[in-house]
Amino acid sequence: YQIKIYHFKTQAQEDRLDNYFKNAYLPALHRAHIANVGVFKPVETDTAEKTIYVLIPYGSMAALQNTDNSLLKDNKYLADGKDYIDVQYNDAPYNRMETIVLKAFPKAPVPQKPVLKAAKTDRVYELRSYESPTEKYHINKVKMFNDGGETVLFKRLNFNAVFYADVISGSHMPNLMYMTTFENKADRDEHWQKFSNDEVWKKLS
């Protein structure tokens, strides 16, 4: 997986990014046979700098390394994304772009499209990050997910997880990340309450 985090400040930047993702980048990725790309914005923000997260699932490391360059040969992408691609240096569409590279867990090798019924504006996609104090603690935490049954518990409690992965490159390491999804905020809180009270979790933790 690749997570791109776009940091921006102005409404003009946000509008340009929205247009680029909707009309150029995602359609181009779909033409490159990369489906179910996710674009997310925080539910709330209390800082001057805002963010947009883009989650891209790749079939291999080679695909991750080569896809963006291959898009430059896609004439439709270049035309549809011209307002973003050819922008002047003093009118940048973002202040900074951050990239995280992740390797899928063996127990969850491919992303899952969540089964949700609520309106998209109500849904909650929760990107969770578990940073460990040392590499040894991190290896143990990853083992909890894969061999200890934590992913199985999430599935039993219907957390509608999109992915589970180990961060192999990023600014916060050692680290694992995963995404759970819910119909709304109340549904999210109810699920985590059940998780905390589950006997399997108490034993596992």
Side-chain angles (χ1 to χ4, degrees):
Y1 299 99
Q2 182 181 47
I3 297 176
K4 292 183 176 181
I5 308 173
Y6 295 80
H7 300 258
F8 63 95
K9 289 186 178 181
T10 71
Q11 186 62 53
Q13 287 177 312
E14 183 172 7
D15 292 343
R16 178 170 276 154
L17 287 168
D18 285 345
N19 180 69
Y20 168 68
F21 296 139
K22 181 180 179 180
N23 298 313
Y25 192 46
L26 268 65
L29 290 175
H30 294 162
R31 288 194 296 274
H33 308 293
I34 300 172
N36 298 325
V37 179
V39 179
F40 308 95
K41 296 180 181 180
V43 175
E44 297 176 354
T45 179
D46 58 0
T47 63
E49 187 173 74
K50 302 177 183 179
T51 53
I52 295 178
Y53 287 69
V54 181
L55 172 65
I56 310 168
Y58 292 99
S60 66
M61 180 62 76
L64 186 155
Q65 293 173 312
N66 298 327
T67 296
D68 279 355
N69 283 336
S70 69
L71 293 187
L72 298 178
K73 300 175 184 178
D74 182 337
N75 289 329
K76 182 168 176 54
Y77 164 73
L78 296 176
D80 294 343
K82 183 175 178 60
D83 180 60
Y84 171 95
I85 297 168
D86 294 334
V87 70
Q88 295 296 308
Y89 76 93
N90 57 354
D91 189 26
Y94 52 83
N95 294 68
R96 183 183 310 107
M97 184 178 69
E98 179 183 349
T99 299
I100 304 170
V101 179
L102 311 97
K103 183 178 181 180
F105 282 0
K107 298 290 186 181
V110 295
Q112 299 296 315
K113 191 173 181 179
V115 180
L116 299 173
K117 298 178 181 179
K120 288 185 178 181
T121 51
D122 294 330
R123 298 176 191 176
V124 173
Y125 295 79
E126 186 169 22
L127 181 63
R128 298 179 66 87
S129 178
Y130 193 102
E131 295 181 50
S132 296
T134 68
E135 292 90 336
K136 185 176 180 180
Y137 278 106
H138 174 71
I139 291 170
N140 190 58
K141 184 61 180 177
V142 171
K143 187 175 181 181
M144 281 177 64
F145 273 82
N146 285 296
D147 301 326
E150 195 163 345
T151 56
V152 175
L153 176 58
F154 278 121
K155 186 173 184 178
R156 174 166 63 80
L157 296 179
N158 195 30
F159 270 72
N160 260 314
V162 175
F163 76 91
Y164 303 92
D166 190 5
V167 175
I168 59 176
S169 179
S171 60
H172 299 275
M173 296 180 72
N175 190 12
L176 67 85
M177 300 180 78
Y178 60 103
M179 179 179 281
T180 52
T181 67
F182 311 95
E183 301 289 355
N184 49 50
K185 180 65 164 56
D187 183 46
R188 179 258 179 210
D189 294 344
E190 181 180 342
H191 272 79
W192 281 112
Q193 186 64 43
K194 290 180 179 178
F195 182 89
S196 298
N197 293 331
D198 195 282
E199 291 303 319
V200 171
W201 167 245
K202 291 179 180 179
K203 181 180 180 180
L204 182 63
S205 61

